[in-house]
Structure formats: structure tokens, C-alpha cells
Amino acid sequence: MIHVKQVSKTYTRNQTSISALKPVDLHIRSGEIFGIIGHSGAGKSTLIRCLNCLERPTTGTVTVNGVDLTALHGKKLQAQRQQIGMIFQHFHLLSSATVFDNIAFPLRLAKADRKHIRERVEELAELVGLQHVLNQYPSQLSGGQKQRVGIARALAMKPHVLLCDEATSALDPETTRAILQLLSRINRELGITIVLITHEMQVIRDICDRVAVMDAGEIVEQGDVIDVFLHPAHRVTRQFVSQVQDDTHVRSYVESDAAKTILSISFKGDQTYEPVLFETVRDTGYSFSILQGTISKMKDLPYGQLLIELHGEQIDHEQVADQLRARGLEVEVMEWRS
């Protein structure tokens, strides 16, 4: 669907070159929700704007649906952009236009006839839940309603791709959940590929299939969300994962002077609800205490994470770990001091 090859972006200001985006490679599959996460200044907004050539890359190519956008200019580029919708953090609505006219704006630019415009606007208003406010103005709407207008407008031309630039950052938590649920439904029902940038790991965990982590203009880690979440390799990724995991008390306990046998265990799918841990520890004769535990879902996939301390004399922690691994769990010995 979207192939990014060695794309970089350099700005020149006062005869000084500023590298906002170093050469990156990225492949986004058709029909998935792909997240891009990074701190402010990491280059994620520059990257997403390169995907529709609102920012023309300094080097590299961006291919969408088999078309190299970086080779296009003028009307040909504008025609391809109609297949790529975009929503923004601060909505970018026309303040003097009604909800109806805001949604209709791209259709009128494309010179669609009145009947088609009305039918399409009403269809989209129903999809995003705004059919009762079509005659109101943006100043009369809540933040969540404004973003729904932005989503409907971005979908007006029936795009194949929807780019979301910090689409929930200006919203409260409850409204954020509602907007994420709407985006997930749009992806599921319409089959639209969604690229979503954020600085919140909770957003990535809630709706994304895969994720790329950015730092200092580079992609430092990428993969399936559940794999990146359960096994973050890069320092920045671990920082983001810690947003949704408060392990301060566990770290304090583990780092105390007493000798401990701590195992970090992660599992996903059907294993989440099976008594694998109990059976393994029972068979090896050790008792254990749970220091921290999470059982949740990432999109529709259940997963779990546990930190346990084994108790007993002359504990063979590798024996326990190996038995758990043999049963399909992922295990890491976190702390072992004698």
C-alpha cells in the first residue's frame, strides 16, 4: 500500500541546513492501522506530511497504491492526494461554514453535483454521528464533534488512506476513546488504511496493528504492536511503554539488598486464560508471589504480563523458566542475586 524508501527531509534556514528527517524506510500494509510514535521533534509529523507530499522529501520516494507521489507535480499530484485523507490535531475547520459545508468542501472543490454532495455529506454525517448538527457552526461544537467533522471531511472523496496527525492530542480521555473507536470502526467497515501519529503509547496500544518508534529523525524500532509493547528494545520505546506501566514500586523492591529470584513472563492469545504458570510452579515444587500483573487486550488480542518472585531453597530458576518456555510463554530472568 505505502512504500517509503530512503525518505529524508532537510530544511535550509539562514544558510544553515536542519535535518528534520533522516533517510527512513517504511512499509505500511493495505487495510492496517499503522502507528508512528515519538517525542516532540522526533520527525513524526514531517514523515506523515511526506506521505502525501505536503512536505516534498529531500531524498527518497513515497509510493502509494503503486504510484510514486514524489515523481508527480501539479494537477497529477493533486489528483492522487484525493485518495489520501488527512485529519489534524487542531481540526482546521472553516469557522464561517456550517458542519454541512465543512464536510462538503472537498466535494465542491472537485466540482461534484449538488445531489451527490448532499447524499455524500448525509452519509458521512451518519457514519460519524453528526446528523443532528449539520446546520451548526464549529464554534457551537465540542472538541470531539469538531474532530468528527474533520474525519467526515477527510473521508468525503472516498480515500484509500487516512492520515491522522495527532488526531486525539487536543481531546480529553473520554473523547479520545470515542474518536479512537470511530477510527477503528472506519478501518474495519470501510477497509481504509490508517496512519496515525501520536506521542501516547495508550493510543498505539488501543487501535494500532503495527508501530514505528521515532527518535531524532530516525525510525529506531518497528514491528507488531504487541511484540514491541511486550519486548521494547530501544530506550525510547521503553520510555513510551512505561507510560502505561507503573513499575516504580516493583523496581524499588527488586533493587533492595535481599536475594531474589524474579521472572518476567509474557503471553498472548489463548494462553492468557490458561493456568500454565500455576501448573509449572506446582510441578517444580516452588511457591511464588505476584509482584505485578496485567491482563488486557491489544485490539482484539488478549495478552498478559507478570512479574513473579519464586520462593524456596536452592531455587533452580532456569528450570522454571525453561518449563514455562516449553509451554509457550516468554520468560526473562530479571534479577538473580545470591
Side-chain angles (χ1 to χ4, degrees), residues 41-262:
K44 57 189 186 297
S45 290
T46 301
L47 175 57
I48 201 171
R49 291 170 67 85
C50 284
L51 297 185
N52 59 2
C53 286
L54 283 179
E55 293 283 359
R56 186 165 288 275
T58 303
T59 66
T61 59
V62 177
T63 304
V64 180
N65 260 355
V67 178
D68 180 3
L69 299 187
T70 53
L72 302 180
H73 299 272
K75 292 183 178 180
K76 290 184 178 180
L77 178 58
Q78 291 175 11
Q80 289 299 318
R81 280 188 183 141
Q82 291 181 355
Q83 302 303 311
I84 306 173
M86 192 164 187
I87 58 176
F88 305 90
Q89 177 180 0
H90 297 296
F91 321 125
H92 289 192
L93 302 182
L94 302 171
S95 60
S96 60
T98 64
V99 169
F100 183 100
D101 290 333
N102 267 282
I103 298 173
F105 184 67
L107 294 164
R108 289 182 174 137
L109 284 181
K111 298 185 175 11
D113 63 65
R114 287 188 177 183
K115 181 174 182 295
H116 174 70
I117 290 174
R118 176 158 294 280
E119 290 175 351
R120 183 63 176 152
V121 169
E122 290 176 350
E123 176 186 5
L124 289 168
E126 183 175 357
L127 175 67
V128 302
L130 292 176
Q131 56 269 55
H132 58 294
V133 296
L134 282 174
N135 293 321
Q136 294 186 18
Y137 290 86
S139 61
Q140 299 172 286
L141 305 179
S142 67
Q145 289 174 320
K146 290 176 183 178
Q147 194 57 282
R148 288 172 185 268
V149 176
I151 293 170
R153 180 183 59 188
L155 296 175
M157 299 300 294
K158 298 185 177 180
H160 300 304
V161 177
L162 181 61
L163 305 180
C164 305
D165 189 356
E166 297 277 11
T168 60
S169 295
L171 306 176
D172 62 75
E174 183 177 351
T175 305
T176 291
R177 283 192 294 272
I179 292 299
L180 293 179
Q181 289 171 1
L182 174 60
L183 291 174
S184 184
R185 182 162 65 90
I186 288 169
N187 168 258
R188 184 174 61 252
E189 294 180 2
L190 303 182
I192 293 176
T193 303
I194 296 179
V195 183
L196 184 152
I197 72 168
T198 183
H199 59 271
E200 299 174 282
M201 194 64 187
Q202 184 68 49
V203 171
I204 297 293
R205 188 176 75 167
D206 283 351
I207 71 166
C208 293
D209 300 296
R210 292 193 302 134
V211 61
V213 182
M214 295 196 68
D215 182 48
E218 297 181 287
I219 294 176
V220 296
E221 188 168 355
Q222 62 178 303
D224 291 345
V225 169
I226 193 159
D227 294 330
V228 172
F229 187 86
L230 293 179
H231 308 289
H234 192 273
R235 169 187 54 82
V236 172
T237 311
R238 291 194 292 271
Q239 289 175 356
F240 281 117
V241 171
S242 70
Q243 290 180 351
V244 289
Q245 291 179 330
D246 182 9
D247 60 357
T248 304
H249 68 289
V250 175
R251 290 182 179 274
S252 176
Y253 175 74
V254 169
E255 291 170 0
S256 63
D257 292 335
K260 300 177 181 67
T261 303
I262 309 294

